[in-house]
Amino acid sequence: MRGGRLGAQGGGLRRPLPPPTTMAAHKKIIKIDEKITLNTLAGKMSLKATDVLMKLLGMGMTGVNINTTLDADTAKILASEFGWEVSDVAVSEEDAIKEARGEETAIDADLELRPPVVTVMGHVDHGKTSLLDFIRKTTVASGEACGITQHIGAYRVKTSRGEVAFLDTPGHEAFTQMRARGAQVTDIVILVVAADDGVMPQTREAVNHARAAHVPLVVAVNKCDKPEADPSRPRRELMAMELVPEELGGDTMFVDVSAKTGQGIDELLEAISLQAEVLELRASPKKPGHGTVIEAMLDRGKGPVARILVRDGTVAVGDILLAGSAWGKIRAMTDENGRSVAKAGPSTPVEVLGLSDVPNAGDPIDVVKDPKKAQELAESRGARQKRSIMPATAKVSLEDLAKRVAESGQLELRLIVKADVQGSVEAVSDALQKLSTDKVRVSIVHSAVGAITEGDVNLAAASKAIIIGFNVRPAGKASSLAETEQVEIRSYNIIYNAVDEVKKAMAGLLAPTIVEKFLGRAEVRQVFNITKIGTVAGCLVVDGTIKRAASKVRLVRDSVQVWEGKISGLRHIKEDKREIEKGFECGISLEGYNDIKPGDAIECYDVEERAATL
Ligand code: GDP
């Protein structure tokens, strides 16, 4: 793994591609999918793997051999040295889609304001559903002649200041699930807090979710019709979370409402429109449509049904639509009132029929010109999904972190803290946050009382965080989701242990210092090919001791390392030996490597990893 990336090595190796050679007339292109082994790359260029390896070593790479997997950047630079071009089909999907869309870059004149897309979040029973229902009933259905409202995952309402699109699934799951898939659909979050109950754990969670996604909040203080309502309480409590009401000089809008009587709903819609004006959301209706799948299902009569939200451009009946790994010509579209529509512009939810397959919620949708291209792209996406159980979004990886540290000079360890009581939540969060150093910053994305839920796992996946559970365990499907999403959950019941391990994890983010200790060197005098065993090098130990169990062995030819690995056999006069000292002859075989030549040197080392200190 290490050393397989030129970029991560730093040190000016990212050289510019050489100027086009005369061979350019007939371009030699190798298509790869994210990565390729050196051996395969050499094969595609009809070159000897060792020659390609020599070139790579000559470029300053260490710790590589012919089986090393190269990432696309490294492969590109390396291949260019031999006059070849590497095209990474994985990253070029974006380009392929752009091309398939036939997109001209939108000029500013084409940009128009688009309605905001709103999600309602808040604690259970604080009135999210009631609020959505009320808004929908009063603003959508009443004005419609047909009056049949359909659930299509989202709907638009008219306000005095223009339209607003609401996502119909209240709660945090849908929001984070989409975000975990890389789809940021929401522009504004309405945080519902009941005036008779105040800020509750899921209220805090909602605030943290919205913050993690950098989505502004408008607070709806609900149930103000109740005699015991105390609208000042949510304000006070949210101020403790740094959400300061506008009337107190802050920048968060608070609106007192009742989903039962309808009190304040107009003001709430007004506040959303105001917030949207601040955001200046623009889109270009002239472009081919682009958006997100909100829900999708297989209908017995209609076939695959996708409920989509158009984000930009326009989607029309008859268009070729690519939706995740599904595609098709749009046969029909309906709006939230069950009426068929011919086209849908920015921030419009519609239900579309005609896809080949059922896409996933959160999948991107794009209108493309050519059905063949759509099919190709859909199939390559499908194949990639099948190939990797890993989600498409990159999760926390060391490589990733190394890149980030290179960019920002500082690493960040993101945590979600769940504990049994509020006191522990605070104590654990505090203790962990205090671990921040110049090199690694600890940030708590979310902390709350309660078991570790699927919502926590989705948030962790979306924000690349690790979950710390203190006296609490994963509930429901959280464990299995964590497994598929590759989210790390650590449980503790002693604060000291949590702190200690997080400290270790932080140190783990820093690459360990690798210290090599030279053990011995042998010179290859003769080479024997023995059936079933492979190549055995008859050597003389010229320095130190050759150890069978040495952690690292290098094969050096003309002062250049051609291979690195382990010894698979060490013998002295037909007897297996653990070590051979200077001055003695021995037979050495290398694990999985046979290309040994007389005159080569075999060097062995012990490798000590010293954990980096914070
Ligand atoms: P959700 O879990 O956040 O979606 O909450 P619901 O919308 O299901 O509401 C929970 C309960 O609170 C229901 O019994 C509603 O009737 C009631 N409720 C919701 N909003 C209001 C309100 O503004 N005033 C009163 N009095 N009750 C409300």
Side-chain angles (χ1 to χ4, degrees), residues 236-277:
R236 259 194 333 269
E237 290 169 343
L238 283 171
M239 271 173 67
M241 295 191 76
E242 287 160 39
L243 286 174
V244 183
E246 273 189 336
E247 63 257 32
L248 297 178
D251 53 12
T252 307
M253 283 189 262
F254 280 67
V255 185
D256 293 344
V257 301
S258 163
K260 197 173 171 191
T261 65
Q263 168 203 336
I265 303 287
D266 283 344
E267 288 83 349
L268 179 64
L269 294 174
E270 183 101 340
I272 291 164
S273 302
L274 271 172
Q275 181 66 58
E277 275 172 28

mmCIF file of all heavy atoms in Angstrom, residues 236-277:
data_model
loop_
_atom_site.group_PDB
_atom_site.id
_atom_site.type_symbol
_atom_site.label_atom_id
_atom_site.label_comp_id
_atom_site.label_asym_id
_atom_site.label_seq_id
_atom_site.Cartn_x
_atom_site.Cartn_y
_atom_site.Cartn_z
ATOM 1 N N ARG A 236 -34.094 29.833 24.683
ATOM 2 C CA ARG A 236 -33.025 29.785 25.687
ATOM 3 C C ARG A 236 -32.127 28.576 25.461
ATOM 4 O O ARG A 236 -30.909 28.665 25.431
ATOM 5 C CB ARG A 236 -33.659 29.647 27.077
ATOM 6 C CG ARG A 236 -33.711 30.934 27.861
ATOM 7 C CD ARG A 236 -34.025 30.704 29.332
ATOM 8 N NE ARG A 236 -34.798 29.527 29.682
ATOM 9 C CZ ARG A 236 -36.136 29.482 29.786
ATOM 10 N NH1 ARG A 236 -36.853 30.561 29.533
ATOM 11 N NH2 ARG A 236 -36.763 28.375 30.140
ATOM 12 N N GLU A 237 -32.796 27.444 25.281
ATOM 13 C CA GLU A 237 -32.028 26.205 25.192
ATOM 14 C C GLU A 237 -31.202 26.121 23.911
ATOM 15 O O GLU A 237 -30.111 25.569 23.903
ATOM 16 C CB GLU A 237 -32.972 25.009 25.312
ATOM 17 C CG GLU A 237 -33.515 24.881 26.721
ATOM 18 C CD GLU A 237 -34.653 23.877 26.824
ATOM 19 O OE1 GLU A 237 -35.246 23.510 25.777
ATOM 20 O OE2 GLU A 237 -34.961 23.467 27.947
ATOM 21 N N LEU A 238 -31.747 26.675 22.834
ATOM 22 C CA LEU A 238 -30.982 26.621 21.580
ATOM 23 C C LEU A 238 -29.836 27.622 21.584
ATOM 24 O O LEU A 238 -28.831 27.430 20.902
ATOM 25 C CB LEU A 238 -31.894 26.835 20.372
ATOM 26 C CG LEU A 238 -32.723 25.605 19.998
ATOM 27 C CD1 LEU A 238 -33.756 25.942 18.938
ATOM 28 C CD2 LEU A 238 -31.835 24.455 19.524
ATOM 29 N N MET A 239 -30.008 28.686 22.371
ATOM 30 C CA MET A 239 -28.904 29.645 22.477
ATOM 31 C C MET A 239 -27.677 28.977 23.062
ATOM 32 O O MET A 239 -26.547 29.316 22.711
ATOM 33 C CB MET A 239 -29.314 30.854 23.307
ATOM 34 C CG MET A 239 -29.946 31.919 22.424
ATOM 35 S SD MET A 239 -30.638 33.282 23.345
ATOM 36 C CE MET A 239 -29.219 34.039 24.053
ATOM 37 N N ALA A 240 -27.939 27.999 23.938
ATOM 38 C CA ALA A 240 -26.815 27.261 24.513
ATOM 39 C C ALA A 240 -26.077 26.486 23.426
ATOM 40 O O ALA A 240 -24.932 26.079 23.594
ATOM 41 C CB ALA A 240 -27.312 26.318 25.593
ATOM 42 N N MET A 241 -26.752 26.252 22.296
ATOM 43 C CA MET A 241 -26.102 25.575 21.159
ATOM 44 C C MET A 241 -25.672 26.590 20.107
ATOM 45 O O MET A 241 -25.495 26.248 18.935
ATOM 46 C CB MET A 241 -27.049 24.559 20.531
ATOM 47 C CG MET A 241 -27.403 23.406 21.425
ATOM 48 S SD MET A 241 -28.251 22.103 20.493
ATOM 49 C CE MET A 241 -26.875 21.356 19.610
ATOM 50 N N GLU A 242 -25.553 27.809 20.514
ATOM 51 C CA GLU A 242 -25.096 28.886 19.635
ATOM 52 C C GLU A 242 -26.052 29.206 18.489
ATOM 53 O O GLU A 242 -25.646 29.643 17.417
ATOM 54 C CB GLU A 242 -23.695 28.600 19.084
ATOM 55 C CG GLU A 242 -22.635 28.777 20.153
ATOM 56 C CD GLU A 242 -21.356 28.054 19.793
ATOM 57 O OE1 GLU A 242 -21.002 28.085 18.608
ATOM 58 O OE2 GLU A 242 -20.750 27.464 20.697
ATOM 59 N N LEU A 243 -27.348 28.913 18.714
ATOM 60 C CA LEU A 243 -28.347 29.352 17.745
ATOM 61 C C LEU A 243 -29.062 30.540 18.389
ATOM 62 O O LEU A 243 -29.965 30.364 19.201
ATOM 63 C CB LEU A 243 -29.340 28.231 17.449
ATOM 64 C CG LEU A 243 -28.816 27.091 16.583
ATOM 65 C CD1 LEU A 243 -29.844 25.982 16.476
ATOM 66 C CD2 LEU A 243 -28.449 27.593 15.192
ATOM 67 N N VAL A 244 -28.617 31.720 18.056
ATOM 68 C CA VAL A 244 -29.133 32.918 18.709
ATOM 69 C C VAL A 244 -30.240 33.534 17.855
ATOM 70 O O VAL A 244 -30.049 33.800 16.674
ATOM 71 C CB VAL A 244 -28.004 33.944 18.932
ATOM 72 C CG1 VAL A 244 -28.525 35.164 19.677
ATOM 73 C CG2 VAL A 244 -26.848 33.297 19.686
ATOM 74 N N PRO A 245 -31.449 33.736 18.461
ATOM 75 C CA PRO A 245 -32.564 34.303 17.703
ATOM 76 C C PRO A 245 -32.220 35.689 17.153
ATOM 77 O O PRO A 245 -31.493 36.447 17.802
ATOM 78 C CB PRO A 245 -33.683 34.411 18.738
ATOM 79 C CG PRO A 245 -33.301 33.508 19.851
ATOM 80 C CD PRO A 245 -31.814 33.426 19.845
ATOM 81 N N GLU A 246 -32.778 35.982 15.984
ATOM 82 C CA GLU A 246 -32.547 37.296 15.370
ATOM 83 C C GLU A 246 -32.945 38.428 16.309
ATOM 84 O O GLU A 246 -32.254 39.436 16.407
ATOM 85 C CB GLU A 246 -33.347 37.412 14.074
ATOM 86 C CG GLU A 246 -32.615 36.867 12.878
ATOM 87 C CD GLU A 246 -33.333 37.186 11.593
ATOM 88 O OE1 GLU A 246 -34.565 37.404 11.628
ATOM 89 O OE2 GLU A 246 -32.663 37.204 10.544
ATOM 90 N N GLU A 247 -34.107 38.230 17.004
ATOM 91 C CA GLU A 247 -34.592 39.304 17.868
ATOM 92 C C GLU A 247 -33.616 39.601 19.013
ATOM 93 O O GLU A 247 -33.694 40.627 19.661
ATOM 94 C CB GLU A 247 -35.999 39.000 18.397
ATOM 95 C CG GLU A 247 -36.114 37.769 19.296
ATOM 96 C CD GLU A 247 -36.712 36.538 18.585
ATOM 97 O OE1 GLU A 247 -36.502 36.375 17.374
ATOM 98 O OE2 GLU A 247 -37.401 35.743 19.265
ATOM 99 N N LEU A 248 -32.681 38.685 19.249
ATOM 100 C CA LEU A 248 -31.684 38.931 20.296
ATOM 101 C C LEU A 248 -30.316 39.242 19.675
ATOM 102 O O LEU A 248 -29.274 39.096 20.307
ATOM 103 C CB LEU A 248 -31.571 37.727 21.228
ATOM 104 C CG LEU A 248 -32.835 37.386 22.025
ATOM 105 C CD1 LEU A 248 -32.634 36.151 22.888
ATOM 106 C CD2 LEU A 248 -33.238 38.575 22.913
ATOM 107 N N GLY A 249 -30.351 39.597 18.404
ATOM 108 C CA GLY A 249 -29.104 40.011 17.766
ATOM 109 C C GLY A 249 -28.358 38.890 17.062
ATOM 110 O O GLY A 249 -27.288 39.104 16.512
ATOM 111 N N GLY A 250 -28.934 37.696 17.084
ATOM 112 C CA GLY A 250 -28.265 36.579 16.411
ATOM 113 C C GLY A 250 -28.675 36.488 14.955
ATOM 114 O O GLY A 250 -29.263 37.426 14.412
ATOM 115 N N ASP A 251 -28.396 35.348 14.316
ATOM 116 C CA ASP A 251 -28.785 35.257 12.908
ATOM 117 C C ASP A 251 -29.654 34.044 12.619
ATOM 118 O O ASP A 251 -29.733 33.578 11.491
ATOM 119 C CB ASP A 251 -27.546 35.292 12.001
ATOM 120 C CG ASP A 251 -26.526 34.257 12.398
ATOM 121 O OD1 ASP A 251 -26.877 33.382 13.223
ATOM 122 O OD2 ASP A 251 -25.398 34.324 11.887
ATOM 123 N N THR A 252 -30.324 33.521 13.657
ATOM 124 C CA THR A 252 -31.228 32.405 13.416
ATOM 125 C C THR A 252 -32.670 32.890 13.538
ATOM 126 O O THR A 252 -33.021 33.550 14.513
ATOM 127 C CB THR A 252 -30.977 31.270 14.428
ATOM 128 O OG1 THR A 252 -29.591 30.949 14.387
ATOM 129 C CG2 THR A 252 -31.795 30.040 14.095
ATOM 130 N N MET A 253 -33.479 32.554 12.520
ATOM 131 C CA MET A 253 -34.879 32.965 12.577
ATOM 132 C C MET A 253 -35.677 31.962 13.382
ATOM 133 O O MET A 253 -35.579 30.756 13.153
ATOM 134 C CB MET A 253 -35.443 33.076 11.161
ATOM 135 C CG MET A 253 -34.989 34.330 10.458
ATOM 136 S SD MET A 253 -35.875 34.541 8.909
ATOM 137 C CE MET A 253 -34.678 33.870 7.799
ATOM 138 N N PHE A 254 -36.445 32.467 14.359
ATOM 139 C CA PHE A 254 -37.347 31.648 15.171
ATOM 140 C C PHE A 254 -38.768 32.101 14.844
ATOM 141 O O PHE A 254 -39.042 33.304 14.831
ATOM 142 C CB PHE A 254 -37.101 31.878 16.668
ATOM 143 C CG PHE A 254 -35.919 31.120 17.223
ATOM 144 C CD1 PHE A 254 -34.624 31.428 16.830
ATOM 145 C CD2 PHE A 254 -36.103 30.106 18.161
ATOM 146 C CE1 PHE A 254 -33.529 30.738 17.354
ATOM 147 C CE2 PHE A 254 -35.018 29.412 18.691
ATOM 148 C CZ PHE A 254 -33.737 29.727 18.292
ATOM 149 N N VAL A 255 -39.661 31.155 14.572
ATOM 150 C CA VAL A 255 -41.045 31.521 14.310
ATOM 151 C C VAL A 255 -41.942 30.677 15.212
ATOM 152 O O VAL A 255 -41.784 29.455 15.278
ATOM 153 C CB VAL A 255 -41.417 31.270 12.825
ATOM 154 C CG1 VAL A 255 -42.826 31.766 12.550
ATOM 155 C CG2 VAL A 255 -40.419 31.929 11.889
ATOM 156 N N ASP A 256 -42.855 31.331 15.932
ATOM 157 C CA ASP A 256 -43.803 30.599 16.780
ATOM 158 C C ASP A 256 -44.950 30.100 15.914
ATOM 159 O O ASP A 256 -45.592 30.895 15.223
ATOM 160 C CB ASP A 256 -44.356 31.523 17.873
ATOM 161 C CG ASP A 256 -43.263 31.911 18.861
ATOM 162 O OD1 ASP A 256 -42.211 31.238 18.862
ATOM 163 O OD2 ASP A 256 -43.454 32.892 19.622
ATOM 164 N N VAL A 257 -45.197 28.797 15.941
ATOM 165 C CA VAL A 257 -46.261 28.255 15.091
ATOM 166 C C VAL A 257 -47.142 27.263 15.854
ATOM 167 O O VAL A 257 -46.806 26.845 16.964
ATOM 168 C CB VAL A 257 -45.669 27.517 13.859
ATOM 169 C CG1 VAL A 257 -44.820 28.432 13.014
ATOM 170 C CG2 VAL A 257 -44.868 26.291 14.281
ATOM 171 N N SER A 258 -48.217 26.896 15.220
ATOM 172 C CA SER A 258 -49.010 25.766 15.695
ATOM 173 C C SER A 258 -49.451 24.981 14.472
ATOM 174 O O SER A 258 -50.121 25.514 13.584
ATOM 175 C CB SER A 258 -50.238 26.236 16.467
ATOM 176 O OG SER A 258 -51.158 25.161 16.559
ATOM 177 N N ALA A 259 -49.064 23.733 14.440
ATOM 178 C CA ALA A 259 -49.448 22.882 13.307
ATOM 179 C C ALA A 259 -50.913 22.496 13.443
ATOM 180 O O ALA A 259 -51.504 21.935 12.525
ATOM 181 C CB ALA A 259 -48.566 21.637 13.265
ATOM 182 N N LYS A 260 -51.488 22.809 14.607
ATOM 183 C CA LYS A 260 -52.882 22.446 14.829
ATOM 184 C C LYS A 260 -53.797 23.575 14.344
ATOM 185 O O LYS A 260 -54.738 23.329 13.588
ATOM 186 C CB LYS A 260 -53.101 22.212 16.329
ATOM 187 C CG LYS A 260 -54.362 21.455 16.631
ATOM 188 C CD LYS A 260 -54.410 21.133 18.115
ATOM 189 C CE LYS A 260 -55.761 20.575 18.504
ATOM 190 N NZ LYS A 260 -55.891 20.517 19.966
ATOM 191 N N THR A 261 -53.494 24.796 14.761
ATOM 192 C CA THR A 261 -54.371 25.913 14.396
ATOM 193 C C THR A 261 -53.893 26.652 13.140
ATOM 194 O O THR A 261 -54.644 27.401 12.530
ATOM 195 C CB THR A 261 -54.434 26.951 15.529
ATOM 196 O OG1 THR A 261 -53.120 27.530 15.669
ATOM 197 C CG2 THR A 261 -54.837 26.312 16.847
ATOM 198 N N GLY A 262 -52.658 26.431 12.792
ATOM 199 C CA GLY A 262 -52.135 27.123 11.614
ATOM 200 C C GLY A 262 -51.505 28.458 11.943
ATOM 201 O O GLY A 262 -50.959 29.145 11.077
ATOM 202 N N GLN A 263 -51.507 28.783 13.236
ATOM 203 C CA GLN A 263 -50.895 30.039 13.680
ATOM 204 C C GLN A 263 -49.426 30.073 13.265
ATOM 205 O O GLN A 263 -48.690 29.107 13.440
ATOM 206 C CB GLN A 263 -51.023 30.120 15.214
ATOM 207 C CG GLN A 263 -50.200 31.203 15.876
ATOM 208 C CD GLN A 263 -49.936 30.881 17.365
ATOM 209 O OE1 GLN A 263 -50.692 30.130 17.982
ATOM 210 N NE2 GLN A 263 -48.880 31.454 17.917
ATOM 211 N N GLY A 264 -49.011 31.176 12.666
ATOM 212 C CA GLY A 264 -47.591 31.379 12.365
ATOM 213 C C GLY A 264 -47.049 30.665 11.138
ATOM 214 O O GLY A 264 -45.888 30.851 10.781
ATOM 215 N N ILE A 265 -47.887 29.843 10.489
ATOM 216 C CA ILE A 265 -47.350 29.071 9.355
ATOM 217 C C ILE A 265 -46.941 30.009 8.207
ATOM 218 O O ILE A 265 -45.896 29.811 7.570
ATOM 219 C CB ILE A 265 -48.373 28.016 8.852
ATOM 220 C CG1 ILE A 265 -48.765 27.077 9.991
ATOM 221 C CG2 ILE A 265 -47.826 27.250 7.654
ATOM 222 C CD1 ILE A 265 -47.731 26.081 10.418
ATOM 223 N N ASP A 266 -47.763 31.023 7.966
ATOM 224 C CA ASP A 266 -47.411 31.974 6.901
ATOM 225 C C ASP A 266 -46.081 32.645 7.193
ATOM 226 O O ASP A 266 -45.240 32.803 6.309
ATOM 227 C CB ASP A 266 -48.499 33.051 6.756
ATOM 228 C CG ASP A 266 -49.713 32.499 6.023
ATOM 229 O OD1 ASP A 266 -49.554 31.428 5.381
ATOM 230 O OD2 ASP A 266 -50.797 33.109 6.116
ATOM 231 N N GLU A 267 -45.914 33.028 8.461
ATOM 232 C CA GLU A 267 -44.656 33.666 8.854
ATOM 233 C C GLU A 267 -43.484 32.698 8.666
ATOM 234 O O GLU A 267 -42.390 33.105 8.286
ATOM 235 C CB GLU A 267 -44.704 34.138 10.320
ATOM 236 C CG GLU A 267 -45.583 35.356 10.580
ATOM 237 C CD GLU A 267 -47.063 35.010 10.751
ATOM 238 O OE1 GLU A 267 -47.469 33.853 10.459
ATOM 239 O OE2 GLU A 267 -47.827 35.899 11.162
ATOM 240 N N LEU A 268 -43.742 31.426 8.942
ATOM 241 C CA LEU A 268 -42.679 30.427 8.783
ATOM 242 C C LEU A 268 -42.257 30.339 7.314
ATOM 243 O O LEU A 268 -41.069 30.342 6.984
ATOM 244 C CB LEU A 268 -43.159 29.062 9.287
ATOM 245 C CG LEU A 268 -42.154 27.920 9.147
ATOM 246 C CD1 LEU A 268 -40.918 28.165 10.010
ATOM 247 C CD2 LEU A 268 -42.774 26.576 9.521
ATOM 248 N N LEU A 269 -43.273 30.287 6.432
ATOM 249 C CA LEU A 269 -42.967 30.205 4.998
ATOM 250 C C LEU A 269 -42.236 31.465 4.540
ATOM 251 O O LEU A 269 -41.318 31.404 3.715
ATOM 252 C CB LEU A 269 -44.256 30.001 4.190
ATOM 253 C CG LEU A 269 -44.959 28.658 4.450
ATOM 254 C CD1 LEU A 269 -46.305 28.609 3.728
ATOM 255 C CD2 LEU A 269 -44.084 27.493 4.019
ATOM 256 N N GLU A 270 -42.645 32.575 5.112
ATOM 257 C CA GLU A 270 -42.002 33.854 4.820
ATOM 258 C C GLU A 270 -40.526 33.802 5.228
ATOM 259 O O GLU A 270 -39.635 34.223 4.492
ATOM 260 C CB GLU A 270 -42.727 34.942 5.628
ATOM 261 C CG GLU A 270 -42.238 36.324 5.379
ATOM 262 C CD GLU A 270 -43.174 37.063 4.435
ATOM 263 O OE1 GLU A 270 -43.953 36.427 3.705
ATOM 264 O OE2 GLU A 270 -43.111 38.284 4.451
ATOM 265 N N ALA A 271 -40.307 33.269 6.444
ATOM 266 C CA ALA A 271 -38.939 33.180 6.960
ATOM 267 C C ALA A 271 -38.077 32.306 6.050
ATOM 268 O O ALA A 271 -36.909 32.599 5.791
ATOM 269 C CB ALA A 271 -38.954 32.609 8.378
ATOM 270 N N ILE A 272 -38.684 31.223 5.541
ATOM 271 C CA ILE A 272 -37.934 30.330 4.648
ATOM 272 C C ILE A 272 -37.558 31.068 3.368
ATOM 273 O O ILE A 272 -36.423 30.988 2.893
ATOM 274 C CB ILE A 272 -38.765 29.074 4.325
ATOM 275 C CG1 ILE A 272 -38.891 28.225 5.579
ATOM 276 C CG2 ILE A 272 -38.120 28.259 3.219
ATOM 277 C CD1 ILE A 272 -39.976 27.201 5.493
ATOM 278 N N SER A 273 -38.535 31.803 2.839
ATOM 279 C CA SER A 273 -38.263 32.552 1.620
ATOM 280 C C SER A 273 -37.166 33.582 1.840
ATOM 281 O O SER A 273 -36.306 33.790 0.982
ATOM 282 C CB SER A 273 -39.523 33.240 1.113
ATOM 283 O OG SER A 273 -40.518 32.281 0.890
ATOM 284 N N LEU A 274 -37.203 34.221 3.014
ATOM 285 C CA LEU A 274 -36.162 35.198 3.350
ATOM 286 C C LEU A 274 -34.792 34.533 3.385
ATOM 287 O O LEU A 274 -33.818 35.029 2.823
ATOM 288 C CB LEU A 274 -36.440 35.815 4.726
ATOM 289 C CG LEU A 274 -37.312 37.049 4.751
ATOM 290 C CD1 LEU A 274 -37.649 37.418 6.188
ATOM 291 C CD2 LEU A 274 -36.579 38.217 4.074
ATOM 292 N N GLN A 275 -34.760 33.397 4.059
ATOM 293 C CA GLN A 275 -33.502 32.655 4.163
ATOM 294 C C GLN A 275 -33.020 32.264 2.765
ATOM 295 O O GLN A 275 -31.838 32.340 2.456
ATOM 296 C CB GLN A 275 -33.722 31.420 5.040
ATOM 297 C CG GLN A 275 -32.491 30.571 5.264
ATOM 298 C CD GLN A 275 -31.432 31.286 6.072
ATOM 299 O OE1 GLN A 275 -31.651 31.717 7.201
ATOM 300 N NE2 GLN A 275 -30.257 31.451 5.481
ATOM 301 N N ALA A 276 -33.981 31.869 1.918
ATOM 302 C CA ALA A 276 -33.628 31.461 0.554
ATOM 303 C C ALA A 276 -33.055 32.638 -0.222
ATOM 304 O O ALA A 276 -32.115 32.479 -1.003
ATOM 305 C CB ALA A 276 -34.859 30.895 -0.158
ATOM 306 N N GLU A 277 -33.619 33.822 0.012
ATOM 307 C CA GLU A 277 -33.100 35.006 -0.685
ATOM 308 C C GLU A 277 -31.648 35.246 -0.319
ATOM 309 O O GLU A 277 -30.823 35.580 -1.160
ATOM 310 C CB GLU A 277 -33.937 36.240 -0.328
ATOM 311 C CG GLU A 277 -35.165 36.367 -1.205
ATOM 312 C CD GLU A 277 -36.092 37.479 -0.737
ATOM 313 O OE1 GLU A 277 -35.610 38.445 -0.130
ATOM 314 O OE2 GLU A 277 -37.308 37.354 -0.991
#
